[in-house]
Amino acid sequence: MPKAVTFINNRGLLYLEMDSINLAERDFDRVIDLEPKNVQARFHKILIEIRRNQLDDAKRDLDDLNVISPKSDEYFEAQARWLQAKHKFSDAILAYTALLKKEKNVDWYICRAECYLARKNYNAALEDIAVALEYEPENGFLYLLKAKIRKEQYELSDCEKLLKIAEQYGISREECELFINM
């Protein structure tokens, strides 16, 4: 059965990459049915629930993951993302900081920057964006996030320049406008 579990889990990851969330969730549920202690499947299911704003379900599954693998990076990342989704930004910042002490990860820098932005700590957010840009200088979302900060700081000409860079790196103008005005 382990080969089948690996295949189904990997297919679920592919579905996630293709943004086929329902199919991904179905596969992760199947993996959990076959192998209840599968950390990866539980982790990705939690992320799907957070994405869908099913935060009570995500919390229940997060508690299950804590029982199965309390010290895993998957648990700590899922916890940080859940805290962020619940708008518990100070706690989420602490959780992402703990993760970043173990490993430098662009996604975690981005998430922490978003939390800093929500708390209007623009300098800390800009520091995280600067570090993330060192690793991924062509990540359009980083420029978009920086543009949002510049808009909130009333640096509108800098905001516009950053939006153009974000567009150069694959973010549509429509997505830029939507994000900036959230």
Side-chain angles (χ1 to χ4, degrees):
M1 195 66 78
K3 286 183 180 180
V5 167
T6 300
F7 172 79
I8 297 167
N9 193 67
N10 287 343
R11 186 176 62 190
L13 293 172
L14 286 173
Y15 283 140
L16 275 182
E17 287 291 319
M18 297 182 327
D19 214 27
S20 297
I21 303 305
N22 292 337
L23 294 173
E25 184 177 37
R26 185 192 67 199
D27 276 356
F28 296 134
D29 283 337
R30 181 74 177 126
V31 169
I32 293 166
D33 287 343
L34 295 170
E35 197 174 273
K37 293 186 178 184
N38 188 297
V39 172
Q40 285 295 313
R42 287 185 178 278
F43 170 73
H44 290 292
K45 181 172 171 66
I46 292 166
L47 295 186
I48 289 170
E49 291 165 341
I50 291 170
R51 183 174 175 177
R52 289 182 170 157
N53 204 32
Q54 298 169 334
L55 300 182
D56 291 339
D57 293 339
K59 177 63 171 134
R60 183 194 68 241
D61 289 334
L62 183 61
D63 291 342
D64 290 345
L65 183 57
N66 186 33
V67 170
I68 294 165
S69 188
K71 303 280 188 207
S72 68
D73 287 347
E74 290 86 358
Y75 169 73
F76 288 119
E77 180 177 354
Q79 179 189 45
R81 291 183 186 260
W82 183 83
L83 289 165
Q84 183 177 0
K86 290 290 283 182
H87 298 248
K88 296 180 178 187
F89 299 115
S90 294
D91 292 335
I93 288 167
L94 293 173
Y96 287 121
T97 300
L99 285 164
L100 287 163
K101 285 181 181 176
K102 294 166 112 182
E103 176 186 342
K104 304 301 180 215
N105 180 305
V106 171
D107 289 335
W108 297 341
Y109 278 112
I110 290 171
C111 289
R112 190 171 71 172
E114 290 173 324
C115 292
Y116 281 132
L117 172 59
R119 302 223 2 106
K120 302 211 181 299
N121 186 341
Y122 302 128
N123 289 335
L126 290 169
E127 287 174 19
D128 277 356
I129 292 167
V131 172
L133 282 169
E134 290 176 19
Y135 292 98
E136 292 185 9
E138 296 180 5
N139 183 327
F141 183 74
L142 290 167
Y143 295 97
L144 184 56
L145 192 55
K146 194 171 180 178
K148 185 170 180 113
I149 292 168
R150 292 300 186 216
K151 181 182 179 196
E152 291 198 17
Q153 294 176 319
Y154 301 102
E155 299 282 343
L156 300 182
S157 65
D158 196 23
C159 173
E160 189 56 39
K161 289 176 192 170
L162 290 162
L163 288 174
K164 287 180 181 174
I165 296 170
E167 286 180 75
Q168 289 172 354
Y169 291 125
I171 309 290
S172 73
R173 187 62 175 190
E174 183 181 339
E175 290 172 304
C176 286
E177 294 297 330
L178 185 64
F179 183 79
I180 286 293
N181 295 313
M182 285 180 16

